Amino acid sequence: TYLTDLKSAVLFEFEALYNKHQNQDIYAFALVLDNLLLAQYTIVSTQNSLLNEAENKYQYLAEEHKWNVDKWQYRADTHQGVALFARKMRAYFQHTSLNSTNVSSKNRFNSNALNFYMDCMAAVQEEILKRYPVAASHITFLVHLSSDSNIALSSLARLNPPHSNLFEAIANLKSTV
């Protein structure tokens, strides 16, 4: 049931972002996690948000930040989607032993949580490709944690078919690791 709830929340947020930015050539969609591995929000970046020489450098995304999710500007702005799901998960964690300090339990939880988010994003991607007029090679999907670029790298490889945006994203992230 948690997977279904998160999938619905992420799809709800994608739809809002897509409706707002579809004419700006969306090239990437990310589910952003916090350091406790709780989903925080979704975000997109667009080709039109990238800086060209005639534009205000403070208003647009510099080319070198194209794959830096922390610099992207188009964040889902809902309190009903992923944020609501995160509040439910926090409440669940407070009533279970999932917040234990046992290292092996934490590692197992982290691994399970990451698989959960990857499974969710794979299901979301499949649904988005059915519902919207976008090709799998046009929007790159990822799961992002600011403190660990390896999560984004593994999600890129797991969620996306081979295409130029994918290769560019992987090369860029590997250069920052």
Side-chain angles (χ1 to χ4, degrees), residues 3 6 31 33-34 36-39 85 89 93 98 105-121 143 151 158:
L3 184 61
L6 180 59
L31 173 64
L33 310 178
D34 68 8
L36 298 175
L37 296 184
L38 288 172
F85 177 81
M89 290 299 288
F93 291 159
L98 289 178
S105 293
K106 257 195 168 140
N107 288 340
R108 188 171 53 252
F109 169 76
N110 289 350
S111 176
N112 289 340
L114 291 173
N115 280 328
F116 170 76
Y117 293 122
M118 301 281 186
D119 289 347
C120 175
M121 284 299 281
V143 176
I151 290 172
R158 183 170 167 183

Side-chain angles (χ1 to χ4, degrees), residues 42-106:
T42 59
I43 194 165
V44 297
S45 196
T46 68
Q47 293 294 340
N48 290 6
S49 70
L50 297 175
L51 176 68
N52 71 39
E53 291 179 23
E55 296 168 326
N56 178 345
K57 69 180 182 176
Y58 300 107
Q59 184 179 354
Y60 292 90
L61 184 65
E63 184 69 33
E64 70 260 18
H65 298 301
K66 181 176 181 178
W67 295 104
N68 184 344
V69 176
D70 296 323
K71 302 266 185 183
W72 293 356
Q73 300 173 24
Y74 304 133
R75 182 184 205 177
D77 193 11
T78 68
H79 298 289
Q80 300 167 356
V82 173
L84 178 62
F85 177 81
R87 285 194 296 276
K88 289 178 185 177
M89 290 299 288
R90 269 191 205 91
Y92 173 72
F93 291 159
Q94 289 173 349
H95 297 293
T96 67
S97 60
L98 289 178
N99 57 4
S100 74
T101 56
N102 180 320
V103 173
S104 67
S105 293
K106 257 195 168 140

